[in-house]
Amino acid sequence: MGYPLLSYFFSSVAVGLIIIILLGFSFIYTFFTDEFHNSNKNAKYDYGIILGAAVWSKNKPSPIFSGRIEKGAELFKKGIIRKIQLTGGNAPGELSEAKAAANYLSTNHNIPKPNILIEEKTSTTNEQIRFIKNIVMNEKKSEKFIIISDQFHLKRVEEMIDFYNLNADVISSNYKLNMQKSFYYRFRDCISLVMFWFFAI
């Protein structure tokens, strides 16, 4: 009876070690992104994609989401992007992430509404990247995209861009997290990155 239990114990330890090593690798991997920098003044994009994030009470974008929106407005005003594509759905009875972002852009930056596009059906990063892929495939377009998110999130976005074979770059917002929050969000994203590697979700 002892041998099966011992075998089960060592197998569990081995699996646990593999998971820890994999998470450790993915955590470190999230720091290595090929991010676009504003010093590249000749770069132009047809669309800046702002990935959705939490909306707080009174339909106010969370600080993280506001940082992404501010970066999108900055790129638009500098002429780096022609249009802003907002993504993100909503919980029942709430304003969608995309509409909350559109209101923010109109109120705080006076960006013309024809330059703001809204998508309200997606709820995950993977769905949002697939949405961009569908634009390219369904409309047979060859536009170039730049995807705006947070630094801790960009590596997973890059992996999805490669997976869906998109012509897109990434750039982080200017919003800064403290060390504790940065560790929390990066660790959470490294788990999501592993899930994407294994299950494409």
Side-chain angles (χ1 to χ4, degrees):
M1 291 291 292
Y3 288 108
L5 288 175
L6 194 61
S7 177
Y8 177 77
F9 170 76
F10 282 116
S11 296
S12 300
V13 170
V15 170
L17 286 173
I18 291 171
I19 291 173
I20 291 171
I21 292 169
L22 190 58
L23 288 176
F25 170 78
S26 63
F27 183 84
I28 295 170
Y29 189 57
T30 61
F31 285 91
F32 296 92
T33 59
D34 185 19
E35 184 182 348
F36 167 86
H37 293 283
N38 288 342
S39 58
N40 186 0
K41 296 180 180 179
N42 294 323
K44 304 291 180 183
Y45 298 86
D46 298 288
Y47 293 93
I49 315 294
I50 299 177
L51 300 183
V55 175
W56 287 1
S57 61
K58 298 182 180 180
N59 299 317
K60 180 181 178 181
S62 65
I64 281 180
F65 196 15
S66 296
R68 298 179 188 182
I69 301 167
E70 287 288 342
K71 175 58 75 171
E74 174 191 326
L75 297 180
F76 180 83
K77 290 176 180 179
K78 288 181 176 179
I80 294 173
I81 59 177
R82 291 194 305 109
K83 291 187 177 182
I84 298 174
Q85 173 70 64
L86 305 170
T87 65
N90 62 304
E94 295 180 357
L95 195 68
S96 71
E97 295 168 2
K99 279 190 175 177
N103 290 345
Y104 185 101
L105 286 170
S106 297
T107 302
N108 295 285
H109 293 285
N110 296 316
I111 293 178
K113 289 186 178 180
N115 295 96
I116 301 174
L117 306 175
I118 295 175
E119 179 283 314
E120 301 179 274
K121 294 183 179 180
T122 60
S123 59
T124 67
T125 302
N126 199 4
E127 289 176 356
Q128 290 162 358
I129 302 301
R130 284 208 311 268
F131 166 75
I132 301 168
K133 178 66 174 180
N134 288 336
I135 292 177
V136 176
M137 291 181 63
N138 294 341
E139 301 183 20
K140 297 181 180 178
K141 292 183 175 180
S142 59
E143 280 93 350
K144 193 172 182 183
F145 304 87
I146 187 165
I147 300 174
I148 303 159
S149 191
D150 298 275
Q151 210 284 328
F152 64 82
H153 190 209
L154 293 186
K155 177 49 69 176
R156 182 155 61 102
V157 173
E158 283 184 335
E159 293 288 296
M160 292 179 180
I161 288 171
D162 291 340
F163 182 79
Y164 292 110
N165 194 27
L166 281 171
N167 181 24
D169 291 326
V170 298
I171 189 170
S172 67
S173 75
N174 297 326
Y175 182 70
K176 301 299 181 184
L177 295 165
N178 62 37
M179 187 175 295
Q180 183 179 358
K181 287 186 177 180
S182 180
F183 177 85
Y184 166 75
Y185 283 113
R186 194 174 293 278
F187 183 72
R188 189 179 69 171
D189 219 68
C190 87
I191 295 173
S192 297
L193 180 57
V194 171
M195 294 295 289
F196 177 72
W197 284 339
F198 282 90
F199 306 109
I201 58 175

